[in-house]
Amino acid sequence: MRQPIIAGNWKMNNTIKDTKALLTDLIPLVADSKAECVVCVPYTNIQTAGEMIKGTNIKLGAENVHWADKGAFTGEISADMLLELGVEYVIIGHSERRQYFGETDETVNKRVLQALKKGLKPIICVGESLEERESGVYKTLLEAQTEKALAGVTSDELDKVVIAYEPIWAIGTGKTATAQEANDTIAIIRNKVAELYCKNCAQNKLRIQYGGSMNPKNASELMAMPEIDGGLIGGASLKAEDFSKVVKY
Ligand code: PGA
């Protein structure tokens, strides 16, 4: 059985003060959740968040990691720096990184391999644009994104990997893929992983989330779909009440 995983992606939101207020409210609200609950926070909030969620059921995540152990990479963050603060999960290859910061399938793959080597669990984002969806190329595109992101990852490591399928047209737009659309697209990704590794690996080890305007209203319908193992939540993760409702869909 694949345990559901709901992760908040705070993006470039929340100061330390905001973090304290949000987590103070969130911690009791999700204390009895069955799904694994993760908050992926900006670097400056990792220490505060880590101290606050110690001893709770909330896990700590970051929003990126560099592929080198250390060195001259101004503005980047290393796996050791994150691990030192108790980070367990890391988002890699979010479409905003791909779109605005030159992230490519190759750099995504390098970050994924480094995360796994160091013991961080990557949440790998894949997704198509509206144009790619409408023209029908999304299937081959998602298969290629998945294959390239996972190059060099072993089947033993697949249970530490989470893939987040996030159609770009649904992110922050209020426009969600229908539950059926999300389910069918995630099945395409899972079938690709079955082909690359084995059917059992894809079925039992790999968790695949949906992301893109997931909120308290649509969470239960999405989570009821057999292929959808969780959600990567942007906007709705910034309010304790909303996020807790998604976590407990
Ligand atoms: P959203 O963002 O929930 O605000 O659409 C999701 C994401 O970008 O991970």
Side-chain angles (χ1 to χ4, degrees), residues 9 11 94 96 166 170-172 212-214 232-235:
N9 173 12
K11 310 191 179 186
H94 190 279
E96 287 148 19
E166 298 205 303
I171 296 176
S213 299
M214 194 161 160
L232 185 57
I233 320 299

Side-chain angles (χ1 to χ4, degrees), residues 170-228:
I171 296 176
T173 57
K175 202 171 158 180
T176 330
T178 65
Q180 193 63 51
E181 254 174 342
N183 187 74
D184 295 352
T185 312
I186 287 175
I188 292 169
I189 296 167
R190 200 181 302 281
N191 287 338
K192 183 66 192 177
V193 173
E195 184 192 309
L196 292 169
Y197 294 88
C198 69
K199 204 167 174 190
N200 175 47
C201 311
Q203 279 303 323
N204 299 321
K205 291 188 174 185
L206 178 72
R207 291 183 292 176
I208 309 183
Q209 298 171 315
Y210 167 76
S213 299
M214 194 161 160
N215 60 44
K217 288 205 181 80
N218 59 28
S220 62
E221 194 193 351
L222 287 159
M223 291 302 295
M225 302 306 285
E227 291 290 348
I228 303 180

